[in-house]
Amino acid sequence: MPPSPEPRRVSILGATGSIGASTLDLINGGGDRYRIEAVTARTKVKELAAIARSTGAAYAAIADERLLGELRHELADTPTRVGAGPGAVEEAARMDADWVMAAIVGAAGLAPTLAAIRQGTVVALANKEALVCAGELMIEEAQKSGCVLLPADSEHNAVFQVLDADRIDAIEKIWLTASGGPFRNATRARMAAATPEEAIRHPNWSMGRKISVDSATMMNKSLEIIEASHLFPVGEEKIGVIVHPESIVHGLVSYRDGSVLAGLAAPDMRTPIAHTLAWPDRIQASSRRLDLAATAQLTFELPDEDRFPALSLARTAIRAGGSAPVTLNAANEVAVAAFLDRRIGFLDIVAVVEDTLACVGTVATDDIAAVIMADGEARRRAEEVVLKRSERAP
């Protein structure tokens, strides 16, 4: 695929989050190489307006309809068009752009991501839920439209860069690395007493609260296994997880001739984002540089699935098919929110997900409406499970 002409037209779905901030940092360092078509946010209206103003975005959309008046006021003296509500966010996704960053967290990102994919553009996926909840649909629609899906997660992006897509049958194993989070060496008893403040204290990455908790439970790897099963059609059994506390090697691919290719970089989300932003070219990026001599050593170990049972839930959901991954994701979001609100304990998070998977039936998810219905039912049931556990808490 030839490189896009400059300036490259860019839309950022989820511009006020950490991924959006990293993307904007790269774009701001690119001079006149990029033109911002659309930016979106959920509720951070002043931050969104500041981004739209500083970048000259053609369109700004806030997901919360109640904030339309405030957004209009903030951008009244600019040429930026504004909109509010889910439809406005989807309109932003359909803007005529060469590259779209899909970074809206949660199920709210499903419809906008699908809208961007159907435009047939290049879509950088930083929204795990797009493939976790609707992977088959997203991949099918990308094939229909000619959309190029590029993984922006560090692990999947590393695999993408070293995977020989023309020789899938030569792959023996894909490895996604995990830092192990703040509780890598903690006992179950220690984790049972963990506070939200401890759980979000990631040793290597600066991330939002929810994804930091996912790292602490290793549910993030569970979700990434599901993602990888859609991005890299090798079969779930060929996708593994290995703990690598230095977060230098992000993904590995083992081939049948004994070769192992690895993607290495300093733990900085600007690196994978820069790869997708410039694809198929490469740009000068402001991301941290890897110094292997300073790192001194790289360590690897297999994850302890007795202490981190979230890992096995991904395979349970993949094998169940249908809406099972939707249920897993929705129940996890509910459980993490409950933990951050101190309604349940740290170990209850994965237990809530497991209990919800056990009590919610699996249905077909052939379209976004079915996914959203399954998501809503899973959240309702997960809230019931959370309530029961919170009532039993001492």
Short mmCIF file of all heavy atoms in Angstrom, two decimals, residues 12-15 40-42 63 85-94 100-118 123-135 137-138 149 227 326 329 333 368-369 371-372 375 379:
data_model
loop_
_atom_site.label_atom_id
_atom_site.label_comp_id
_atom_site.label_asym_id
_atom_site.label_seq_id
_atom_site.Cartn_x
_atom_site.Cartn_y
_atom_site.Cartn_z
N ILE A 12 -9.15 11.37 15.63
CA ILE A 12 -8.81 10.71 16.90
C ILE A 12 -10.08 10.51 17.71
O ILE A 12 -10.68 11.47 18.22
CB ILE A 12 -7.79 11.53 17.70
CG1 ILE A 12 -6.57 11.86 16.85
CG2 ILE A 12 -7.36 10.76 18.96
CD1 ILE A 12 -5.59 12.81 17.53
N LEU A 13 -10.51 9.26 17.81
CA LEU A 13 -11.69 8.91 18.60
C LEU A 13 -11.22 8.58 20.01
O LEU A 13 -10.60 7.55 20.24
CB LEU A 13 -12.41 7.71 17.97
CG LEU A 13 -12.69 7.80 16.47
CD1 LEU A 13 -13.39 6.54 15.97
CD2 LEU A 13 -13.49 9.05 16.13
N GLY A 14 -11.51 9.47 20.94
CA GLY A 14 -10.98 9.32 22.29
C GLY A 14 -9.75 10.19 22.47
O GLY A 14 -8.72 9.74 22.98
N ALA A 15 -9.87 11.44 22.10
CA ALA A 15 -8.70 12.33 22.04
C ALA A 15 -8.20 12.77 23.41
O ALA A 15 -7.05 13.18 23.55
CB ALA A 15 -9.02 13.57 21.20
N THR A 40 -12.82 13.44 19.36
CA THR A 40 -13.98 13.14 20.20
C THR A 40 -13.55 12.92 21.64
O THR A 40 -12.40 12.62 21.93
CB THR A 40 -14.76 11.90 19.72
OG1 THR A 40 -14.08 10.70 20.17
CG2 THR A 40 -14.91 11.87 18.21
N ALA A 41 -14.53 13.04 22.54
CA ALA A 41 -14.32 12.74 23.96
C ALA A 41 -15.67 12.32 24.54
O ALA A 41 -16.72 12.54 23.93
CB ALA A 41 -13.76 13.93 24.71
N ARG A 42 -15.62 11.72 25.72
CA ARG A 42 -16.87 11.30 26.37
C ARG A 42 -17.49 12.45 27.16
O ARG A 42 -18.62 12.84 26.91
CB ARG A 42 -16.60 10.10 27.28
CG ARG A 42 -17.86 9.49 27.89
CD ARG A 42 -17.57 8.18 28.57
NE ARG A 42 -16.74 8.36 29.75
CZ ARG A 42 -17.22 8.57 30.98
NH1 ARG A 42 -18.53 8.61 31.19
NH2 ARG A 42 -16.40 8.71 32.01
N ALA A 63 -19.52 12.88 23.54
CA ALA A 63 -20.49 11.79 23.59
C ALA A 63 -21.70 12.12 24.47
O ALA A 63 -22.81 11.65 24.21
CB ALA A 63 -19.81 10.51 24.08
N GLY A 85 -23.51 13.50 21.45
CA GLY A 85 -24.27 12.26 21.44
C GLY A 85 -23.56 11.17 20.66
O GLY A 85 -22.61 11.44 19.91
N PRO A 86 -24.01 9.94 20.83
CA PRO A 86 -23.38 8.81 20.13
C PRO A 86 -23.38 8.97 18.61
O PRO A 86 -22.40 8.61 17.95
CB PRO A 86 -24.25 7.61 20.56
CG PRO A 86 -24.82 8.01 21.88
CD PRO A 86 -25.05 9.48 21.79
N GLY A 87 -24.45 9.54 18.07
CA GLY A 87 -24.50 9.75 16.62
C GLY A 87 -23.44 10.71 16.14
O GLY A 87 -22.86 10.54 15.05
N ALA A 88 -23.17 11.72 16.94
CA ALA A 88 -22.14 12.70 16.58
C ALA A 88 -20.76 12.06 16.60
O ALA A 88 -19.90 12.36 15.77
CB ALA A 88 -22.18 13.88 17.54
N VAL A 89 -20.51 11.16 17.57
CA VAL A 89 -19.22 10.47 17.62
C VAL A 89 -19.06 9.57 16.40
O VAL A 89 -17.98 9.49 15.81
CB VAL A 89 -19.10 9.67 18.93
CG1 VAL A 89 -17.80 8.86 18.95
CG2 VAL A 89 -19.16 10.60 20.14
N GLU A 90 -20.14 8.91 16.00
CA GLU A 90 -20.08 8.09 14.78
C GLU A 90 -19.85 8.96 13.54
O GLU A 90 -19.13 8.55 12.62
CB GLU A 90 -21.37 7.28 14.63
CG GLU A 90 -21.48 6.13 15.61
CD GLU A 90 -22.68 5.25 15.33
OE1 GLU A 90 -22.86 4.84 14.16
OE2 GLU A 90 -23.46 5.00 16.27
N GLU A 91 -20.44 10.15 13.54
CA GLU A 91 -20.19 11.07 12.43
C GLU A 91 -18.70 11.42 12.35
O GLU A 91 -18.11 11.49 11.26
CB GLU A 91 -21.01 12.35 12.59
CG GLU A 91 -20.82 13.33 11.44
CD GLU A 91 -21.60 14.63 11.62
OE1 GLU A 91 -22.43 14.71 12.55
OE2 GLU A 91 -21.36 15.57 10.83
N ALA A 92 -18.09 11.63 13.50
CA ALA A 92 -16.66 11.90 13.54
C ALA A 92 -15.87 10.74 12.95
O ALA A 92 -14.89 10.93 12.22
CB ALA A 92 -16.21 12.17 14.98
N ALA A 93 -16.31 9.52 13.25
CA ALA A 93 -15.63 8.33 12.73
C ALA A 93 -15.77 8.19 11.22
O ALA A 93 -14.92 7.58 10.57
CB ALA A 93 -16.18 7.08 13.42
N ARG A 94 -16.83 8.78 10.68
CA ARG A 94 -17.07 8.68 9.23
C ARG A 94 -16.45 9.84 8.45
O ARG A 94 -16.60 9.90 7.23
CB ARG A 94 -18.57 8.63 8.95
CG ARG A 94 -19.24 7.31 9.36
CD ARG A 94 -20.65 7.21 8.80
NE ARG A 94 -21.51 8.23 9.39
CZ ARG A 94 -22.26 8.05 10.46
NH1 ARG A 94 -22.24 6.88 11.09
NH2 ARG A 94 -23.03 9.02 10.93
N VAL A 100 -7.42 6.75 11.24
CA VAL A 100 -8.28 6.97 12.40
C VAL A 100 -7.70 6.22 13.60
O VAL A 100 -7.43 5.02 13.51
CB VAL A 100 -9.72 6.48 12.14
CG1 VAL A 100 -10.58 6.66 13.39
CG2 VAL A 100 -10.33 7.22 10.95
N MET A 101 -7.52 6.93 14.70
CA MET A 101 -7.16 6.29 15.96
C MET A 101 -8.45 5.93 16.69
O MET A 101 -9.24 6.81 17.04
CB MET A 101 -6.30 7.22 16.82
CG MET A 101 -6.12 6.75 18.27
SD MET A 101 -5.48 5.06 18.43
CE MET A 101 -3.76 5.31 18.05
N ALA A 102 -8.68 4.64 16.91
CA ALA A 102 -9.86 4.17 17.63
C ALA A 102 -9.45 3.89 19.07
O ALA A 102 -8.92 2.82 19.38
CB ALA A 102 -10.42 2.91 16.98
N ALA A 103 -9.67 4.87 19.95
CA ALA A 103 -9.20 4.76 21.33
C ALA A 103 -10.29 5.06 22.34
O ALA A 103 -10.00 5.46 23.47
CB ALA A 103 -8.02 5.72 21.55
N ILE A 104 -11.55 4.84 21.95
CA ILE A 104 -12.65 5.04 22.90
C ILE A 104 -12.75 3.78 23.76
O ILE A 104 -12.94 2.67 23.25
CB ILE A 104 -13.98 5.29 22.17
CG1 ILE A 104 -13.88 6.57 21.34
CG2 ILE A 104 -15.12 5.39 23.17
CD1 ILE A 104 -15.11 6.84 20.49
N VAL A 105 -12.62 3.94 25.05
CA VAL A 105 -12.60 2.80 25.97
C VAL A 105 -14.00 2.24 26.14
O VAL A 105 -14.98 2.98 26.23
CB VAL A 105 -12.03 3.24 27.34
CG1 VAL A 105 -12.11 2.10 28.34
CG2 VAL A 105 -10.59 3.71 27.17
N GLY A 106 -14.09 0.92 26.19
CA GLY A 106 -15.33 0.26 26.51
C GLY A 106 -16.24 0.02 25.31
O GLY A 106 -15.89 0.29 24.16
N ALA A 107 -17.43 -0.48 25.63
CA ALA A 107 -18.39 -0.82 24.58
C ALA A 107 -18.83 0.41 23.80
O ALA A 107 -19.29 0.30 22.66
CB ALA A 107 -19.61 -1.51 25.19
N ALA A 108 -18.66 1.61 24.38
CA ALA A 108 -19.03 2.84 23.68
C ALA A 108 -18.22 3.04 22.41
O ALA A 108 -18.62 3.78 21.51
CB ALA A 108 -18.84 4.04 24.60
N GLY A 109 -17.08 2.37 22.31
CA GLY A 109 -16.24 2.52 21.13
C GLY A 109 -16.59 1.59 19.99
O GLY A 109 -16.03 1.73 18.89
N LEU A 110 -17.53 0.68 20.20
CA LEU A 110 -17.83 -0.33 19.17
C LEU A 110 -18.40 0.29 17.90
O LEU A 110 -17.88 0.08 16.80
CB LEU A 110 -18.80 -1.38 19.73
CG LEU A 110 -18.24 -2.30 20.81
CD1 LEU A 110 -19.35 -3.22 21.31
CD2 LEU A 110 -17.08 -3.12 20.27
N ALA A 111 -19.50 1.02 18.02
CA ALA A 111 -20.15 1.58 16.84
C ALA A 111 -19.26 2.59 16.11
O ALA A 111 -19.16 2.54 14.87
CB ALA A 111 -21.49 2.21 17.22
N PRO A 112 -18.58 3.52 16.80
CA PRO A 112 -17.68 4.42 16.08
C PRO A 112 -16.54 3.69 15.37
O PRO A 112 -16.17 4.05 14.24
CB PRO A 112 -17.14 5.34 17.18
CG PRO A 112 -18.16 5.28 18.25
CD PRO A 112 -18.71 3.90 18.21
N THR A 113 -15.97 2.68 16.01
CA THR A 113 -14.89 1.92 15.37
C THR A 113 -15.39 1.23 14.12
O THR A 113 -14.72 1.24 13.08
CB THR A 113 -14.29 0.89 16.34
OG1 THR A 113 -13.78 1.58 17.50
CG2 THR A 113 -13.16 0.12 15.69
N LEU A 114 -16.56 0.63 14.21
CA LEU A 114 -17.14 -0.03 13.04
C LEU A 114 -17.41 0.98 11.92
O LEU A 114 -17.18 0.70 10.74
CB LEU A 114 -18.43 -0.75 13.42
CG LEU A 114 -19.09 -1.59 12.32
CD1 LEU A 114 -18.15 -2.68 11.82
CD2 LEU A 114 -20.40 -2.20 12.82
N ALA A 115 -17.88 2.17 12.29
CA ALA A 115 -18.14 3.21 11.29
C ALA A 115 -16.85 3.59 10.58
O ALA A 115 -16.83 3.78 9.35
CB ALA A 115 -18.77 4.43 11.96
N ALA A 116 -15.76 3.71 11.32
CA ALA A 116 -14.47 4.04 10.71
C ALA A 116 -13.99 2.93 9.79
O ALA A 116 -13.49 3.18 8.68
CB ALA A 116 -13.43 4.32 11.79
N ILE A 117 -14.16 1.70 10.23
CA ILE A 117 -13.75 0.55 9.42
C ILE A 117 -14.52 0.53 8.09
O ILE A 117 -13.95 0.27 7.03
CB ILE A 117 -13.97 -0.76 10.21
CG1 ILE A 117 -12.90 -0.89 11.30
CG2 ILE A 117 -13.95 -1.99 9.28
CD1 ILE A 117 -13.14 -2.03 12.27
N ARG A 118 -15.78 0.82 8.15
CA ARG A 118 -16.61 0.78 6.93
C ARG A 118 -16.25 1.88 5.95
O ARG A 118 -16.64 1.82 4.78
CB ARG A 118 -18.09 0.88 7.32
CG ARG A 118 -18.62 -0.45 7.89
CD ARG A 118 -20.03 -0.33 8.43
NE ARG A 118 -20.58 -1.64 8.73
CZ ARG A 118 -21.65 -1.85 9.51
NH1 ARG A 118 -22.28 -0.81 10.06
NH2 ARG A 118 -22.08 -3.08 9.73
N VAL A 123 -7.24 2.13 10.13
CA VAL A 123 -7.73 2.28 11.49
C VAL A 123 -6.71 1.68 12.46
O VAL A 123 -6.39 0.49 12.36
CB VAL A 123 -9.10 1.61 11.69
CG1 VAL A 123 -9.53 1.67 13.16
CG2 VAL A 123 -10.15 2.28 10.81
N ALA A 124 -6.21 2.52 13.37
CA ALA A 124 -5.32 2.04 14.43
C ALA A 124 -6.19 1.66 15.62
O ALA A 124 -6.92 2.49 16.16
CB ALA A 124 -4.33 3.13 14.81
N LEU A 125 -6.12 0.40 16.01
CA LEU A 125 -6.98 -0.11 17.06
C LEU A 125 -6.29 -0.03 18.42
O LEU A 125 -5.34 -0.76 18.69
CB LEU A 125 -7.36 -1.56 16.79
CG LEU A 125 -8.52 -1.83 15.82
CD1 LEU A 125 -8.66 -3.32 15.59
CD2 LEU A 125 -9.81 -1.24 16.36
N ALA A 126 -6.79 0.86 19.28
CA ALA A 126 -6.34 0.89 20.67
C ALA A 126 -7.50 0.55 21.60
O ALA A 126 -7.34 0.55 22.81
CB ALA A 126 -5.77 2.26 21.01
N ASN A 127 -8.65 0.29 21.03
CA ASN A 127 -9.85 -0.08 21.77
C ASN A 127 -9.94 -1.60 21.78
O ASN A 127 -10.33 -2.21 20.78
CB ASN A 127 -11.08 0.56 21.10
CG ASN A 127 -12.39 0.04 21.66
OD1 ASN A 127 -12.43 -0.81 22.54
ND2 ASN A 127 -13.49 0.53 21.12
N LYS A 128 -9.56 -2.24 22.89
CA LYS A 128 -9.58 -3.70 22.96
C LYS A 128 -10.96 -4.27 22.66
O LYS A 128 -11.11 -5.32 22.05
CB LYS A 128 -9.14 -4.16 24.35
CG LYS A 128 -7.70 -3.87 24.71
CD LYS A 128 -7.39 -4.45 26.09
CE LYS A 128 -6.02 -4.00 26.59
NZ LYS A 128 -4.94 -4.45 25.72
N GLU A 129 -11.99 -3.54 23.12
CA GLU A 129 -13.34 -4.07 23.03
C GLU A 129 -13.80 -4.30 21.59
O GLU A 129 -14.67 -5.14 21.34
CB GLU A 129 -14.32 -3.12 23.74
CG GLU A 129 -14.11 -3.05 25.24
CD GLU A 129 -12.94 -2.18 25.66
OE1 GLU A 129 -12.42 -1.43 24.80
OE2 GLU A 129 -12.55 -2.24 26.84
N ALA A 130 -13.24 -3.56 20.64
CA ALA A 130 -13.65 -3.72 19.25
C ALA A 130 -13.49 -5.16 18.79
O ALA A 130 -14.39 -5.73 18.16
CB ALA A 130 -12.84 -2.78 18.35
N LEU A 131 -12.35 -5.76 19.09
CA LEU A 131 -12.11 -7.14 18.67
C LEU A 131 -12.56 -8.14 19.71
O LEU A 131 -12.97 -9.26 19.37
CB LEU A 131 -10.63 -7.34 18.35
CG LEU A 131 -10.12 -6.57 17.13
CD1 LEU A 131 -8.65 -6.91 16.85
CD2 LEU A 131 -10.95 -6.87 15.88
N VAL A 132 -12.49 -7.77 20.99
CA VAL A 132 -12.94 -8.70 22.03
C VAL A 132 -14.44 -8.98 21.89
O VAL A 132 -14.89 -10.12 21.95
CB VAL A 132 -12.63 -8.14 23.42
CG1 VAL A 132 -13.31 -8.97 24.52
CG2 VAL A 132 -11.12 -8.10 23.66
N CYS A 133 -15.22 -7.92 21.68
CA CYS A 133 -16.68 -8.06 21.65
C CYS A 133 -17.25 -8.33 20.27
O CYS A 133 -18.32 -8.92 20.14
CB CYS A 133 -17.33 -6.81 22.22
SG CYS A 133 -16.92 -6.47 23.93
N ALA A 134 -16.56 -7.86 19.24
CA ALA A 134 -17.13 -7.96 17.89
C ALA A 134 -16.05 -8.27 16.87
O ALA A 134 -16.05 -7.73 15.76
CB ALA A 134 -17.85 -6.67 17.53
N GLY A 135 -15.12 -9.15 17.23
CA GLY A 135 -13.98 -9.43 16.38
C GLY A 135 -14.34 -9.94 15.00
O GLY A 135 -13.83 -9.44 13.98
N LEU A 137 -17.12 -9.63 13.35
CA LEU A 137 -17.81 -8.59 12.59
C LEU A 137 -16.82 -7.53 12.09
O LEU A 137 -16.86 -7.12 10.93
CB LEU A 137 -18.88 -7.94 13.47
CG LEU A 137 -19.67 -6.78 12.85
CD1 LEU A 137 -20.44 -7.24 11.62
CD2 LEU A 137 -20.63 -6.19 13.90
N MET A 138 -15.91 -7.10 12.96
CA MET A 138 -14.94 -6.07 12.58
C MET A 138 -14.03 -6.56 11.46
O MET A 138 -13.78 -5.83 10.48
CB MET A 138 -14.09 -5.66 13.79
CG MET A 138 -14.87 -5.04 14.93
SD MET A 138 -15.43 -3.35 14.57
CE MET A 138 -16.38 -2.99 16.07
N LEU A 149 -6.54 -2.68 9.24
CA LEU A 149 -6.57 -2.64 10.69
C LEU A 149 -5.15 -2.80 11.22
O LEU A 149 -4.49 -3.81 10.95
CB LEU A 149 -7.45 -3.77 11.24
CG LEU A 149 -8.95 -3.60 11.13
CD1 LEU A 149 -9.66 -4.86 11.64
CD2 LEU A 149 -9.43 -2.39 11.89
N GLU A 227 -8.16 -10.70 21.40
CA GLU A 227 -7.79 -9.80 20.30
C GLU A 227 -6.89 -10.50 19.30
O GLU A 227 -7.10 -10.44 18.09
CB GLU A 227 -7.05 -8.58 20.85
CG GLU A 227 -7.88 -7.46 21.38
CD GLU A 227 -6.99 -6.27 21.67
OE1 GLU A 227 -6.36 -6.25 22.74
OE2 GLU A 227 -6.95 -5.35 20.83
N VAL A 326 -18.08 -11.02 24.95
CA VAL A 326 -18.80 -9.80 25.33
C VAL A 326 -19.09 -9.83 26.83
O VAL A 326 -18.89 -8.84 27.55
CB VAL A 326 -20.12 -9.66 24.54
CG1 VAL A 326 -20.84 -8.37 24.93
CG2 VAL A 326 -19.87 -9.70 23.05
N ASN A 329 -15.90 -9.27 28.92
CA ASN A 329 -15.48 -7.87 28.92
C ASN A 329 -16.41 -7.01 29.77
O ASN A 329 -15.96 -6.20 30.58
CB ASN A 329 -15.42 -7.34 27.50
CG ASN A 329 -15.03 -5.88 27.45
OD1 ASN A 329 -13.90 -5.51 27.67
ND2 ASN A 329 -16.01 -5.02 27.18
N GLU A 333 -15.57 -4.94 33.29
CA GLU A 333 -15.72 -3.50 33.46
C GLU A 333 -16.54 -3.19 34.72
O GLU A 333 -16.21 -2.28 35.49
CB GLU A 333 -16.37 -2.88 32.23
CG GLU A 333 -15.46 -2.84 31.01
CD GLU A 333 -16.04 -2.02 29.86
OE1 GLU A 333 -17.01 -1.28 30.09
OE2 GLU A 333 -15.51 -2.11 28.75
N ILE A 368 -23.85 -5.20 15.59
CA ILE A 368 -23.56 -4.38 16.77
C ILE A 368 -24.75 -4.35 17.72
O ILE A 368 -24.57 -4.34 18.95
CB ILE A 368 -23.17 -2.94 16.34
CG1 ILE A 368 -21.79 -2.95 15.70
CG2 ILE A 368 -23.19 -2.00 17.53
CD1 ILE A 368 -20.67 -3.35 16.64
N ALA A 369 -25.97 -4.37 17.18
CA ALA A 369 -27.15 -4.36 18.06
C ALA A 369 -27.16 -5.58 18.97
O ALA A 369 -27.45 -5.47 20.17
CB ALA A 369 -28.42 -4.31 17.22
N VAL A 371 -24.53 -7.32 19.87
CA VAL A 371 -23.41 -7.16 20.81
C VAL A 371 -23.82 -6.25 21.96
O VAL A 371 -23.57 -6.55 23.13
CB VAL A 371 -22.17 -6.58 20.09
CG1 VAL A 371 -21.09 -6.22 21.10
CG2 VAL A 371 -21.63 -7.58 19.08
N ILE A 372 -24.48 -5.14 21.64
CA ILE A 372 -24.87 -4.18 22.67
C ILE A 372 -25.92 -4.79 23.61
O ILE A 372 -25.88 -4.58 24.83
CB ILE A 372 -25.38 -2.89 22.02
CG1 ILE A 372 -24.20 -2.16 21.34
CG2 ILE A 372 -26.05 -1.98 23.04
CD1 ILE A 372 -24.59 -0.97 20.53
N ASP A 375 -24.06 -7.15 25.82
CA ASP A 375 -23.28 -6.35 26.76
C ASP A 375 -24.16 -5.86 27.91
O ASP A 375 -23.78 -5.95 29.09
CB ASP A 375 -22.65 -5.17 26.02
CG ASP A 375 -21.87 -4.24 26.93
OD1 ASP A 375 -20.70 -4.56 27.23
OD2 ASP A 375 -22.43 -3.22 27.36
N ARG A 379 -23.83 -6.88 31.87
CA ARG A 379 -23.61 -5.88 32.91
C ARG A 379 -24.66 -5.99 34.01
O ARG A 379 -24.35 -5.84 35.20
CB ARG A 379 -23.63 -4.47 32.30
CG ARG A 379 -22.42 -4.16 31.45
CD ARG A 379 -22.51 -2.83 30.72
NE ARG A 379 -21.44 -2.73 29.75
CZ ARG A 379 -20.21 -2.32 30.05
NH1 ARG A 379 -19.93 -1.93 31.28
NH2 ARG A 379 -19.28 -2.28 29.12
#
